[in-house]
């Protein structure tokens, strides 16, 4: 697929449909491909697309669109939700963007492979459902399904929500099992409040405030984040106590509530392995319960339930009556 | 740095008995910015205000905090005081140490500590206050009255008499409401229609009144003085200007199986219908769901009959947009549904009826021509049993917790009327209490007992059932302390009343608040009973709480007076506490625009200079004339670009910090 995409993007450069493309290139290691901006067909030679292109490129369009002419972006199915959400919020302009929707059968978590006891990995190729792993100690194999990224475990399906053209072989494939999406949220809800507090205390105390979650998050698209704005009174503030270290993540979860597409990038990039997506997923679950099923970014013209008012909206007492957890 | 004065009021003993005011004064003196602090018995008095004015001048105060009652009581007073002393009125903050503190605490030490915290929070806020200036807005000199019952009619007439235009929107095909359905009125026993219909005629004749019947309010935008209302006028399929109300169509209409709503469904009506003889407007309407022409395409008899050529099967709903300066809610009430009160057999036995149904049975224009007959066999009853408080004063959750207020009196009226016309009929009334406060009310009730021989039995009815063609009432007589089993022919239920179902949706559209029973909340239960807390929205009649006709009429007049007072103004001062967007922080995401209930936010492409970077950005703009300062946008804005003057994020954070310190 990598070569098909590369060829097509080069064609689009050559026939002047686009002036820029946003994709992935090799990072320091073969398994940490990073987003890259390509300004010509020749640049595209280093383009890669394989099991390690997890990053959601939609947010890069805010700052990396070419000043004139169209910028091409390669979007996996889940990335298109973020794209739509950014369109809804007027952070990007579709007129300047050309989308190639590319197929995806899940991205791989290198740490999960290592956790299987496979060391000295030099190369990974896919053979059907299996990954063939070359290591310094010989060839190993594992099921791809066992080493998918956390975010791929609750895949929303292989359908692209928006695109100009598709390079995809599994467009209509439905997610294998989306029912487990809220399992961990349910687990947290079933804890006592002390247990839940202890859980988050433990997780969030690991936070080093590197801001990776915020910077990768397509919903965190503010020109100036409140946490960077000295006038807001909350920026660059040292944590006065152990509770304050939670505030950043709680405030962030509130800010993206109703806008988060559940792309899972926050958890993927967290260097401390904090399951940040669970905060957002709890909001999503509550929104679904209170206002009916809602998927942010499904289309660009829908109104989010938290920024919309209808006469049928639940009354606030509904929450206390039903004790939505 | 501000120089803040703090003035702690005793409010007689209201505050001073529970809060050590001297300690509050000492404590706030240590707060940053506080240059002066004192206490006084009544800060709102002339003498109290002088203390404030003198201190402002003497100490060059830049802001003041008054620790006193709720800002809803005296914020305006102290703002004027400050202004008189040359201080911007928005440099005044109230710390509510009465309603929020002294009145709800018993322990003096605890209350004092809380009062100090509340005062500190207000001081922290004033430190960040900035002077604000009020703007002006215009007033559309026309009022809208929603509901055409006696409340709406009286309000509209009074407003129109003062020379202002007023529109009535009524959802039914005629005005008149519940009062038109009543037979006689207590405590004078005069004919309801005889006193109501002249007012209905006045409405129709008044040049200042425009009537939209068979119409509903679809949407309300804007704010006090400048409401923009969308009214849906439902198709009547009869041209209002041509129909003469002759009723010929009704006599020819072959579809006669519609439930006659005016007679509470006790008899049938035709598909083309005029609800009652004195209807205003006296114009027929076609019930399209019942009409054969609409169902099958065949018939058209009414069209052939109508000599005025008024029938128009192609009529469409009409959408009307009108501007108003004030809106009066007069949406009235409905009797509650009795599906949770199976013990009374209401849905099962035709001789168990509601009081409103009895009104129709007793009325000459009713289903029995005014003769008291059982609905089951159209025979004369020999015994009638009234059950009071059906669903009223109910704490079981099946009914309403409140007293419906009118039932005691109308039941006495019914009992008396029956005994007067049919002395052979035995009348029993089961009651919890008989409540008769009101001019000539208790005398009226006593006449029913003493002159007309109505049996009042204190006790609740446990159940009503049928036996051998009779109704049997099983009850308890609490005074004689014995069980009763009474044979009776008719049972009349004094059904609780509840606000009209439309009130809730309308209240949402008007951003008027409602209570747990869906009654519209008044701005102050004692001092502002006909105003909603939302400026420009007024309350008339039962939509605010249960009341009888004389009370409704007085309240309708009071609401009209308030409306007239508003419409008489050429300009209104606007609230300067409006939202403001920092264009350099604005993402252009439109979230604030979506949540704004007043349509005050729009987006423009604007060239901005962001620290030397010039670029065109999509940014939010607030129309300060439309903004009502609700703050919905400020909490929605993720970047903090949107802020509310007078209640900035930083001010609120400062208050929270002061409280949590």
């Amino acid at each position: 697929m990598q070569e098909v995409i590369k060829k097509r993007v080069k064609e689009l450069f050559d026939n002047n449909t686009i002036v820029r493309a946003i994709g992935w290139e090799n990072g320091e290691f073969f398994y940490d491909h990073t987003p890259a901006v390509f300004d010509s067909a020749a640049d595209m030679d280093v383009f890669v697309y394989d099991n390690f292109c997890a990053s959601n490129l939609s947010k890069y369009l805010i700052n990396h669109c070419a000043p004139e002419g169209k910028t091409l972006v390669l979007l996996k199915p889940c990335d298109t939700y973020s794209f739509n959400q950014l369109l809804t919020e007027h952070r990007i302009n579709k007129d300047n963007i050309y989308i190639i929707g590319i197929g995806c059968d899940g991205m791989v978590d290198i740490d999960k492979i290592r956790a299987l006891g496979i060391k000295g990995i030099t190369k990974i190729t896919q053979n059907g459902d299996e990954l063939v792993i070359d290591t310094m100690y010989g060839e190993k194999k594992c099921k791809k399904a066992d080493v998918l990224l956390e975010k791929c475990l609750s895949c929303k399906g292989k359908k692209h929500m928006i695109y100009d053209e598709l390079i995809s072989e599994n467009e209509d494939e439905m997610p294998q099992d989306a029912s487990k999406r809220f399992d961990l949220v349910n687990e947290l809800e079933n804890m006592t409040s002390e247990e839940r507090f202890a859980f988050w205390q433990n997780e969030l105390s690991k936070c080093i405030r590197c801001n990776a979650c915020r910077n990768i998050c397509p919903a965190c698209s503010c020109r100036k984040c409140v946490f960077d704005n000295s006038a807001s009174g909350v920026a660059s503030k040292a944590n006065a106590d152990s509770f304050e270290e939670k505030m950043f993540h709680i405030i962030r979860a509130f800010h993206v509530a109703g806008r988060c597409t559940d792309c899972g990038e926050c958890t993927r990039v967290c260097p401390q392995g904090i399951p940040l997506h669970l905060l957002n997923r709890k909001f999503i679950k509550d929104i679904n319960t209170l206002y009916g099923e809602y998927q942010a970014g499904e289309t660009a013209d829908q109104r989010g339930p938290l920024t919309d008012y209808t006469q049928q909206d639940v009354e606030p007492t509904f929450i206390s009556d039903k004790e939505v957890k | 740095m501000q120089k803040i004065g703090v003035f702690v009021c005793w409010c007689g003993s209201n505050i001073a008995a529970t809060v050590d005011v001297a300690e509050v004064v000492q404590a706030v003196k240590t707060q940053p910015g506080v240059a002066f602090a004192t206490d006084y018995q009544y800060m709102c008095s002339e003498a109290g205000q002088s203390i404030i004015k003198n201190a402002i001048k003497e100490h060059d105060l830049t802001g003041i905090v008054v620790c006193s009652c709720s800002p809803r009581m005296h914020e305006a007073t102290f703002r004027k005081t400050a202004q008189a002393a040359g201080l911007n009125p928005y440099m005044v903050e109230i710390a509510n140490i009465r309603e929020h503190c002294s009145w709800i605490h018993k322990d003096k030490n605890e209350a004092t500590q809380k009062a100090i915290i509340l005062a500190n929070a207000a001081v922290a806020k004033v430190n960040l206050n900035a002077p604000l200036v009020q703007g002006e807005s215009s007033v559309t000199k026309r009022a809208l009255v929603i509901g055409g019952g006696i409340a709406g009619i009286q309000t509209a007439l009074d407003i129109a008499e003062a020379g202002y235009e007023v529109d009535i929107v009524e959802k039914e095909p005629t005005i008149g409401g519940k009062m038109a359905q009543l037979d006689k009125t207590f405590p004078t026993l005069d004919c309801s229609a005889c006193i109501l219909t002249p007012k209905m005629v006045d409405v129709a004749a008044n040049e200042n009144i425009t009537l939209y019947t068979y119409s509903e309010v679809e949407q309300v935008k804007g704010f006090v003085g400048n409401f923009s209302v969308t009214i849906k006028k439902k198709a009547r399929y009869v041209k209002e200007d041509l129909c003469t109300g002759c009723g010929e169509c009704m006599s020819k209409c072959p579809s006669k199986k519609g439930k006659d709503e005016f007679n509470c469904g006790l008899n049938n009506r035709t598909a083309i219908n005029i609800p009652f003889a004195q209807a205003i407007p006296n114009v027929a309407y076609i019930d399209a769901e019942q009409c054969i022409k609409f169902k099958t395409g065949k018939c058209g008899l009414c069209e052939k009959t109508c000599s005025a050529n008024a029938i128009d099967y192609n009529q469409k709903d009409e959408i009307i947009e009108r501007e108003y300066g004030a809106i009066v809610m007069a949406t009235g009430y409905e009797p509650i549904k009795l599906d949770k009160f199976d013990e009374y057999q209401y849905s099962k036995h035709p001789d168990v009826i509601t009081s409103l149904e009895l009104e129709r049975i007793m009325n000459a224009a009713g289903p029995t021509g005014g003769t008291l007959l059982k609905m089951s066999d159209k025979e004369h009853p020999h015994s009638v049993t009234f059950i009071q408080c059906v669903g009223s004063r109910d704490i079981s959750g099946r009914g309403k917790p409140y007293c419906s207020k009118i039932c005691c009196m109308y039941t006495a009226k019914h009992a008396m009327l029956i005994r007067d016309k049919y002395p052979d009929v035995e009348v029993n009334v089961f009651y919890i209490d008989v409540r008769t406060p009101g001019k000539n009310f208790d005398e009226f009730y006593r006449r029913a007992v003493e002159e007309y021989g109505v049996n009042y039995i204190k006790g609740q009815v446990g159940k009503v059932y049928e036996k051998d063609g009779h109704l049997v009432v099983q009850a308890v007589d609490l005074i004689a302390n014995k069980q009763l089993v009474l044979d009776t022919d008719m049972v009349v239920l004094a059904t609780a009343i509840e606000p009209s179902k439309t009130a809730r949706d309308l209240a949402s559209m008007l951003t008027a608040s409602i209570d747990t029973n869906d009654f519209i909340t008044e701005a102050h239960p004692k001092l502002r009973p006909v105003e909603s807390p939302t400026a420009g929205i007024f309350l008339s009649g039962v939509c605010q709480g249960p009341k009888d006709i004389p009370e409704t009429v007085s309240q309708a007049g009071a609401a009209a007076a308030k409306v007239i007072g508003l419409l008489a103004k050429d300009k209104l001062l606007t609230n300067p506490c409006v939202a403001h967007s920092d264009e350099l922080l604005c993402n252009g995401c439109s979230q604030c625009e979506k949540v704004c209930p007043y349509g005050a936010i729009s987006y423009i492409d604007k060239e901005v200079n962001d620290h030397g970077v010039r670029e065109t950005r999509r940014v939010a703009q607030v129309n300060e004339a439309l903004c009502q300062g609700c703050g919905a946008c400020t909490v929605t804005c993720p970047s903090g670009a949107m802020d509310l003057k007078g209640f900035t994020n930083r001010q609120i954070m400062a208050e929270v910090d002061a409280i949590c310190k």
Side-chain angles (χ1 to χ4, degrees), chain A residues 88-91 221-226 229-234 255 257 259 302-304 306-309 311 315, chain B residues 504-506 508-509 583-591 593-595 611 615 617-618 636-640 650 653:
Chain A
T88 308
E89 293 170 12
H90 305 275
R91 300 297 282 125
S221 66
C222 286
R223 290 184 190 283
K224 189 165 202 173
C225 175
V226 284
N229 180 2
S230 53
S232 73
V234 295
H255 280 198
R259 304 160 57 224
Q302 63 185 358
R303 284 182 77 131
L306 298 186
T307 49
D308 200 8
Y309 171 74
Q311 301 266 336
E315 294 297 325
Chain B
R504 199 181 176 80
D505 286 350
L506 276 168
S508 306
M509 280 187 232
E583 60 189 27
L584 293 186
L585 290 178
C586 179
N587 297 322
C589 72
S590 277
Q591 295 210 88
E593 183 189 20
K594 285 175 185 159
V595 298
H611 303 87
E615 58 182 355
R617 288 184 187 171
R618 179 187 152 83
T636 309
C637 179
S639 66
R650 295 209 70 167
M653 287 301 280

Side-chain angles (χ1 to χ4, degrees), chain B residues 259-532:
Chain B
K259 282 229 173 292
D260 186 344
E261 297 89 352
F262 186 70
N263 279 336
C264 299
L266 293 173
N267 63 336
N268 291 339
R269 60 153 173 79
T270 47
I272 189 161
N273 183 40
I274 298 175
F276 57 99
Q278 303 99 317
I280 298 284
N282 187 18
V283 172
Y285 71 99
I286 296 175
D287 180 343
E289 280 176 25
Q290 188 194 337
C291 172
I292 298 168
K293 174 82 178 174
F294 280 95
K295 283 198 288 198
T296 67
K298 294 184 191 118
C299 185
L301 269 178
C302 51
E303 189 177 27
K304 284 173 207 138
T305 310
C306 182
S307 53
N309 290 324
I311 310 293
D312 177 6
Y313 299 119
N314 297 320
Q315 210 175 57
K316 295 271 178 294
D317 292 351
E318 197 184 334
I319 300 293
I320 299 156
E321 299 262 353
R322 293 273 269 179
E323 308 289 320
Y324 299 99
I327 300 178
V328 182
M329 286 277 282
T331 45
Y333 70 93
E334 296 291 338
I336 63 164
K337 295 261 175 294
L338 290 173
D339 47 358
K340 289 179 186 152
F341 293 87
D342 283 344
E343 68 266 36
Y344 300 130
Q345 306 289 319
Y346 173 73
S347 56
K348 300 213 179 70
H349 203 290
D351 295 334
V352 180
I353 58 172
T354 66
S355 301
L356 192 58
E357 288 165 4
L358 182 67
E359 292 281 351
R360 296 315 304 151
I361 291 171
M362 302 287 281
N363 189 271
T368 59
T371 312
L372 179 67
L373 296 175
K374 291 189 281 173
M375 294 314 288
S376 58
D377 53 10
K378 298 286 178 337
E379 292 287 328
H380 178 63
H382 296 284
S383 152
V384 179
T385 302
F386 289 88
I387 304 177
Q388 295 283 77
C389 293
V390 175
S392 297
R393 304 173 69 192
D394 180 300
I395 47 169
S396 71
R398 296 187 301 165
K400 302 290 174 183
Y402 50 83
C403 166
S404 295
K405 201 170 184 181
I406 52 177
C407 329
C408 284
M409 287 303 290
Y410 70 58
T411 298
K413 172 189 77 177
H414 290 153
M416 201 186 286
L417 288 171
I418 291 173
R419 292 285 295 166
D420 185 49
K421 249 178 154 177
Y422 312 99
D424 63 312
V425 178
E426 186 189 62
V427 176
N428 293 307
V429 179
F430 285 94
Y431 68 96
I432 309 178
D433 296 298
V434 177
R435 298 181 162 181
T436 55
K439 191 174 172 183
N440 293 326
F441 282 15
D442 203 57
E443 296 90 322
F444 182 81
Y445 153 65
R446 284 210 310 273
R447 256 166 65 210
V449 179
E450 292 160 11
E451 291 177 31
Y452 289 87
V454 178
N455 299 324
Y456 269 77
I457 306 165
K458 185 173 175 76
Q460 267 293 54
V461 171
K463 116 179 171 190
V464 175
Y465 56 95
E466 195 184 348
K467 192 180 171 192
D468 307 331
H470 266 291
L471 282 166
V472 181
V473 173
Q474 196 175 313
V476 60
D477 181 337
L478 286 175
I479 293 172
N481 194 20
K482 62 177 182 187
Q483 297 286 326
L484 291 179
V485 180
L486 290 181
D487 277 358
T488 193
D489 295 327
M490 248 176 132
V491 172
V492 184
L493 307 175
T495 311
I497 58 171
E498 63 181 349
S500 163
K501 294 287 177 210
T502 54
R504 199 181 176 80
D505 286 350
L506 276 168
S508 306
M509 280 187 232
L510 297 167
T511 62
S513 48
I514 48 176
D515 67 18
T516 49
N517 295 308
D518 286 1
F519 288 111
I520 314 285
T521 316
E522 57 282 354
H524 189 284
K526 280 147 265 179
L527 303 177
R528 294 173 69 195
V530 298
E531 294 156 83
S532 151

Side-chain angles (χ1 to χ4, degrees), chain B residues 5-53:
Chain B
V6 182
F7 303 87
V8 185
C9 181
W10 304 13
C11 195
S13 62
N14 273 308
I15 293 171
T18 335
V19 170
D20 184 339
V21 287
E23 196 182 328
V24 178
V25 169
Q26 286 313 311
V28 290
K29 277 184 177 167
T30 64
Q31 290 299 304
V34 175
F36 176 79
T38 189
D39 58 271
Y40 186 68
Q41 213 162 5
Y42 292 105
M43 258 330 153
C44 60
S45 67
E46 280 288 330
Q49 292 187 53
S50 297
I51 292 174
I52 296 176
K53 284 183 211 166

Side-chain angles (χ1 to χ4, degrees), chain A residues 62-316:
Chain A
I62 297 174
N63 291 325
H64 296 282
C65 268
E68 309 243 324
K70 283 204 177 199
T71 298
L72 178 142
V73 66
L74 297 165
L75 297 179
K76 304 188 294 296
C78 57
D79 304 336
T80 57
Y81 292 86
S82 307
F83 185 92
N84 270 339
Q85 189 61 29
L86 288 166
L87 274 187
T88 308
E89 293 170 12
H90 305 275
R91 300 297 282 125
I92 51 179
N93 181 357
K94 176 70 187 73
D95 296 345
N96 309 331
I97 297 164
Y98 190 91
I99 305 167
I100 296 186
I102 54 175
C104 169
D105 62 352
M107 291 292 150
V108 167
D109 187 343
I110 189 76
D111 289 331
K112 283 192 181 173
I113 298 178
R114 289 184 180 132
L116 294 174
I118 301 171
K119 299 269 157 54
I121 304 166
T122 52
K123 190 182 168 197
I124 297 174
T125 46
Q126 188 170 340
N127 185 9
D129 292 344
E130 237 176 17
L131 295 181
V132 181
I133 305 157
D134 294 348
T135 77
M136 288 148 73
Y137 315 105
E139 191 184 277
K140 309 265 165 148
K141 282 182 181 168
C142 74
K143 282 247 179 257
K144 181 171 176 181
D146 294 339
V147 293
L148 284 177
L149 274 171
E150 176 66 35
K151 67 186 231 169
C152 299
L153 298 179
S154 54
C155 176
K156 292 189 261 296
K158 307 302 181 193
K159 199 171 177 60
H160 289 78
M161 294 296 113
I162 186 171
Y163 56 83
D164 292 298
E165 64 177 272
L166 280 176
I167 302 179
S168 169
E169 289 149 3
N170 55 355
E171 187 68 9
D172 295 324
E173 212 174 279
M174 283 313 290
Q176 286 171 338
D177 190 5
S179 66
K180 292 202 170 91
R181 184 178 176 199
F182 294 114
D183 280 3
L184 280 169
V185 175
N186 289 331
E187 245 174 66
L188 283 168
E189 286 175 350
N190 290 332
M191 289 180 183
T192 63
S193 56
E194 291 80 17
E195 287 168 347
R196 196 159 47 238
F197 189 84
F199 173 86
W200 283 115
Q201 176 86 310
N202 176 47
E203 290 295 344
L204 296 178
S205 65
K206 298 178 205 159
C207 173
I208 54 171
R209 274 304 295 277
C210 68
N211 287 336
C213 52
R214 180 195 75 181
N215 295 355
I216 199 80
C217 175
C220 266
S221 66
C222 286
R223 290 184 190 283
K224 189 165 202 173
C225 175
V226 284
F227 289 103
D228 291 341
N229 180 2
S230 53
S232 73
V234 295
S236 313
K237 192 168 171 294
N239 293 331
D241 58 42
S242 64
F243 184 72
E244 281 198 7
E245 66 197 8
K246 295 177 196 59
M247 292 312 291
F248 170 73
H249 294 287
I250 293 171
I251 290 172
R252 211 183 74 76
F254 268 98
H255 280 198
V256 301
R259 304 160 57 224
C260 167
T261 65
D262 202 7
C263 76
E265 286 285 88
C266 44
T267 296
R268 183 182 71 84
V269 300
C270 180
Q272 297 295 85
I274 306 171
L276 291 164
H277 70 285
L278 291 179
L279 284 174
N280 305 324
R281 217 172 258 180
K282 164 67 177 159
F283 276 106
I284 292 169
K285 182 168 181 263
D286 284 352
I287 289 169
N288 286 350
T289 313
L290 294 171
Y291 301 101
E293 293 284 320
Y294 176 76
Q295 171 61 55
E298 200 157 75
T299 63
D301 52 13
Q302 63 185 358
R303 284 182 77 131
L306 298 186
T307 49
D308 200 8
Y309 171 74
T310 69
Q311 301 266 336
Q312 287 72 44
D313 276 358
V314 286
E315 294 297 325

